[in-house]
Amino acid sequence: MVATGALGAVGAAAVAWPFINNLNPAADTLALSTIEVNVTPIAVGQAVTVKWRGKPVFIRHRTEAEIKEAEAVPMSQLPDPETDNKRVTDTAKKVRPEWLIMIGVCTHLGCVPLGNKAGDPKGEYGGWFCPCHGSSYDTSGRIRKGPAPKNLVVPEYLFTSDALVRIG
Amino acid sequence: MASSHGTPPVFNNKVISWIDHRLPIFSYIEKEYHTFPTPRNFNYFWNFGAIATVMLVLMIATGIVLATNYTPHVLMAFDAVERIDRDVPQGWLIRDLHMNGASFFFIAVYIHIFRGMYYGSYKAPRELLWILGVVIFLLMMATAFMGYVLPWGQMSFWGATVITNLFSAIPVVGESIVIWLWGGFAVDNPTLNRFFALHYLLPFIIVAVVALHVVALHVHGSNNPTGIDPKGPQDTVPFHPYYTMKDGFGVMVFLIVFAAFVFFAPDYLGHPDNYIPADPLVTPAHIVPEWYFLPFYAILRAIPDKLGGVLAMFGAIAVLFILPWLDTSRVRSCTFRPIYKWFMMFLVVDVIVLGICGSKPAEGFWVPLSQLATLYYFAHFLVLLPILGKIERPLPLPPSIADAVLKKKAV
Ligand code: HEM
Ligand code: FES
């Protein structure tokens, strides 16, 4: 009886799995798409939003002041401690503090934070502000205040030249 | 429910009696909706079960017609809905019935839930009946949420994004669950497609749970405004014609108000941003869910912690499941509970305040207010209810329903 029951349970799970797994991303969705962006038109102090895997990616050309501000923050003040340096390093380990590249999706519930366009509110820490439930990010895209638990995510990217960056 | 009332009916029509001998559907209708002994003292709050049923049927009828003209694809969904509104014969009417129907379905169900809470209909022996009701409420919320995604406007898209992201608060597996829900790395075509499939399915599951809800209801019969059980024939009337007529009347009045919205203010309860096509790169400045979700949305935002907010929101519904055991008073109806009666009314005010907070941006004075209202909501269920049952002295209960009714008439 127990054996039959156990076998039945294993059988049921084996049948259920394809149904559950069927809802996972399909191969074509998974196929790692990459995009290439020419960053030369982005002036210092400006930012652009590009679309990658259905999500916005922020590319910000930071000013000296923004970089200084981001580097000066003591780790103890960060809910999700991470150095600015680490967030501006590409996959070839090259550090470019002037280029901050992040997925523009609030780590709370997924809204797109404001702060990329001129005139947008940038929040109390001068970076980005998410209007949905009021999260503020600093000039390194790190969470400083509000319900979001994590820093804005830095995707894998590689500068193939000084002008071109490949995301993904 | 079986032998307690009446002898098996005799049908004069030969066809009916032939069928009934083999499949007793006519006996069933006769017993459960005609002779069924029903407390004689229902007030109009008892109309809302029938009204909710009518709305469910209306939602399914309009929904199936809409589906014949709808296309669940990110490039076509918005235009398909606009075409239903502008080009399809009477498409505007079917869509406005469906759109406002969802709101009025929730209005009916919220009043129905209030009725159950005020008159203690969740207490023994009706706990399972109540729990099935909460299950229906949850299924309705899931259905309405997925339906709202279908027109693929800005609110559709960002509502779907925020709500599916709630699951990312689950430790460890949260992110994988969200990707699984989406079928991709963001709310996108696979998401829309599956939401349409589920939006079509869930209402029929609701029908099945409603059937169980009614079966459970007919075991012990309805509660009534006094909360005391009928003691004999002097306390009841047959369901038909007394309550078929009263329910019919209530349904008509409700539908008149409903029709006023459908014909004169079809977009009043909606949000204008949903007439902007979905844009995954721009979040509207102020996103809000449909009005019927606002109190829960306010609870979500009141807690300044992601996981905490999500837990509180689901907890707000979870407490309803255990309500029959949180309430320690043996008296059902608030009519005879001089203290709880006021707390019950205050809970209604609290939920309305939460709803208003949910509709405002999460800043300034709205934040502490929603926190206070959230605290009170949980205190009502988890602190007040268990304690009050012990310390409150209920008013004397009337000896029977008939006594209560006749005395009221005499005064
Ligand atoms: C429990 C019952 C139901 C509820 C609460 C519900 C709710 C909703 C809501 C809130 C919308 C969005 C309306 C808008 O803003 O445009 C919607 C859309 C839609 N629903 Fe339903 N629905 C129900 C049953 C059904 C059924 C049974 C079908 C059958 C397939 C259906 C098909 C559709 C379609 C095709 C749309 C998109 C067209 C539109 O947006 O008007 N619904 N539903
Ligand atoms: S989604 Fe950004 S604060 Fe909630």
Side-chain angles (χ1 to χ4, degrees):
Chain A
M1 254 255 307
V2 173
T4 317
L7 195 68
V10 171
V15 174
W17 175 243
F19 286 83
I20 296 168
N21 193 32
N22 193 265
L23 294 176
N24 269 320
D28 59 339
T29 315
L30 277 176
L32 257 192
S33 65
T34 56
I35 51 164
E36 204 142 88
V37 183
N38 180 356
V39 296
T40 34
I42 311 169
V44 178
Q46 273 188 353
V48 298
T49 306
V50 296
K51 195 167 159 186
W52 174 65
R53 279 179 162 188
K55 292 181 176 179
V57 170
F58 293 164
I59 306 179
R60 180 124 146 196
H61 196 170
R62 299 193 295 179
T63 61
E64 269 316 309
E66 285 169 343
I67 297 169
K68 287 252 164 57
E69 199 182 321
E71 286 172 346
V73 182
M75 289 299 113
S76 60
Q77 284 184 18
L78 297 171
D80 179 15
E82 211 180 354
T83 59
D84 183 59
N85 208 282
K86 197 170 150 233
R87 295 174 59 77
V88 290
T89 307
D90 73 6
T91 43
K93 297 273 175 285
K94 189 158 165 43
V95 182
R96 292 173 198 259
E98 66 277 25
W99 293 110
L100 177 61
I101 300 177
M102 309 177 298
I103 296 179
V105 171
C106 181
T107 58
H108 181 225
L109 297 175
C111 292
V112 180
L114 298 170
N116 254 21
K117 282 208 234 37
D120 273 0
K122 288 180 162 33
E124 279 170 55
Y125 295 88
W128 286 265
F129 174 72
C130 182
C132 287
H133 318 96
S135 289
S136 293
Y137 297 89
D138 67 13
T139 55
S140 186
R142 293 171 300 199
I143 181 67
R144 300 299 290 275
K145 197 181 166 195
K150 293 255 187 275
N151 303 333
L152 291 176
V153 174
V154 175
E156 291 199 344
Y157 64 87
L158 176 70
F159 276 90
T160 47
S161 71
D162 280 343
L164 281 182
V165 60
R166 193 171 67 214
I167 298 167
Chain B
M1 89 184 127
S3 55
S4 62
H5 41 85
T7 43
V10 184
F11 298 103
N12 294 327
N13 185 310
K14 287 242 164 56
V15 179
I16 290 187
S17 84
W18 188 91
I19 295 175
D20 201 69
H21 189 61
R22 287 152 184 84
L23 180 71
I25 44 173
F26 295 101
S27 303
Y28 175 81
I29 293 171
E30 174 74 16
K31 197 168 78 201
E32 304 297 337
Y33 292 100
H34 183 179
T35 55
F36 193 68
T38 315
R40 61 191 281 181
N41 60 334
F42 281 177
N43 57 28
Y44 280 107
F45 277 119
W46 264 260
N47 279 154
F48 287 90
I51 291 171
T53 311
V54 169
M55 294 316 288
L56 178 59
V57 173
L58 179 92
M59 292 311 286
I60 292 179
T62 51
I64 291 173
V65 174
L66 280 175
T68 60
N69 279 300
Y70 175 77
T71 316
H73 190 283
V74 291
L75 300 177
M76 290 180 263
F78 187 86
D79 292 343
V81 174
E82 283 306 297
R83 182 174 163 273
I84 290 172
D85 260 349
R86 295 156 196 246
D87 299 341
V88 175
Q90 253 87 65
W92 59 273
L93 177 59
I94 301 294
R95 175 166 188 241
D96 287 348
L97 284 171
H98 197 75
M99 221 162 71
N100 289 279
S103 279
F104 276 76
F105 193 9
F106 275 95
I107 292 176
V109 165
Y110 277 129
I111 297 175
H112 191 66
I113 294 174
F114 166 77
R115 188 281 316 263
M117 290 173 73
Y118 189 87
Y119 296 107
S121 302
Y122 49 83
K123 292 187 196 185
R126 297 189 183 83
E127 300 94 326
L128 276 182
L129 172 60
W130 170 260
I131 288 174
L132 287 168
V134 182
V135 170
I136 294 169
F137 180 48
L138 272 178
L139 288 169
M140 272 176 71
M141 295 212 271
T143 307
F145 159 65
M146 289 194 248
Y148 195 60
V149 176
L150 302 185
W152 208 242
Q154 272 291 65
M155 284 295 166
S156 298
F157 182 89
W158 290 102
T161 299
V162 166
I163 301 299
T164 48
N165 263 308
L166 292 178
F167 294 90
S168 71
I170 302 170
V172 190
V173 292
E175 295 294 335
S176 324
I177 290 182
V178 175
I179 288 179
W180 177 75
L181 288 172
W182 289 338
F185 300 102
V187 171
D188 210 330
N189 201 50
T191 327
L192 177 59
N193 223 310
R194 62 186 58 183
F195 276 19
F196 180 52
L198 293 174
H199 184 68
Y200 208 135
L201 168 70
L202 286 185
F204 295 92
I205 298 193
I206 296 179
V207 169
V209 184
V210 168
L212 293 177
H213 189 70
V214 172
V215 169
L217 172 69
H218 281 213
V219 177
H220 293 282
S222 300
N223 185 28
N224 65 81
T226 65
I228 55 179
D229 293 326
K231 300 207 168 68
Q234 74 284 3
D235 288 345
T236 63
V237 289
F239 190 81
H240 179 72
Y242 290 95
Y243 288 121
T244 42
M245 292 302 118
K246 187 163 180 169
D247 278 344
F249 176 69
V251 167
M252 299 295 186
V253 173
F254 190 83
L255 290 182
I256 290 172
V257 181
F258 172 54
F261 273 83
V262 170
F263 289 105
F264 297 108
D267 288 311
Y268 181 76
L269 296 166
H271 198 292
D273 276 32
N274 220 27
Y275 286 99
I276 304 170
D279 180 353
L281 298 189
V282 182
T283 308
H286 179 40
I287 66 165
V288 279
E290 292 283 86
W291 69 265
Y292 36 81
F293 293 135
L294 288 175
F296 300 102
Y297 192 58
I299 292 176
L300 167 76
R301 296 193 307 185
I303 315 281
D305 172 79
K306 181 164 160 176
L307 182 58
V310 173
L311 288 177
M313 189 177 83
F314 286 108
I317 294 165
V319 290
L320 295 178
F321 278 105
I322 53 169
L323 176 61
W325 295 275
L326 291 174
D327 186 347
T328 50
S329 170
R330 269 185 314 209
V331 174
R332 290 199 188 107
S333 173
C334 270
T335 315
F336 305 106
R337 299 190 59 183
I339 307 177
Y340 183 57
K341 177 192 218 154
W342 295 107
F343 281 116
M344 187 59 227
M345 298 315 290
F346 198 71
L347 180 72
V348 174
V349 175
D350 186 63
V351 170
I352 293 172
V353 168
L354 279 171
I356 297 171
C357 289
S359 74
K360 304 286 176 193
E363 55 194 36
F365 137 88
W366 296 109
V367 178
L369 183 64
S370 57
Q371 288 168 340
L372 203 68
T374 300
L375 190 71
Y376 183 80
Y377 181 91
F378 284 102
H380 174 98
F381 288 99
L382 301 176
V383 182
L384 280 171
L385 260 173
I387 294 177
L388 261 183
K390 305 264 190 247
I391 60 171
E392 180 185 47
R393 177 194 286 254
L395 302 177
L397 297 178
S400 73
I401 294 175
D403 271 295
V405 177
L406 298 175
K407 212 165 278 153
K408 209 157 133 204
K409 287 274 147 58
V411 172

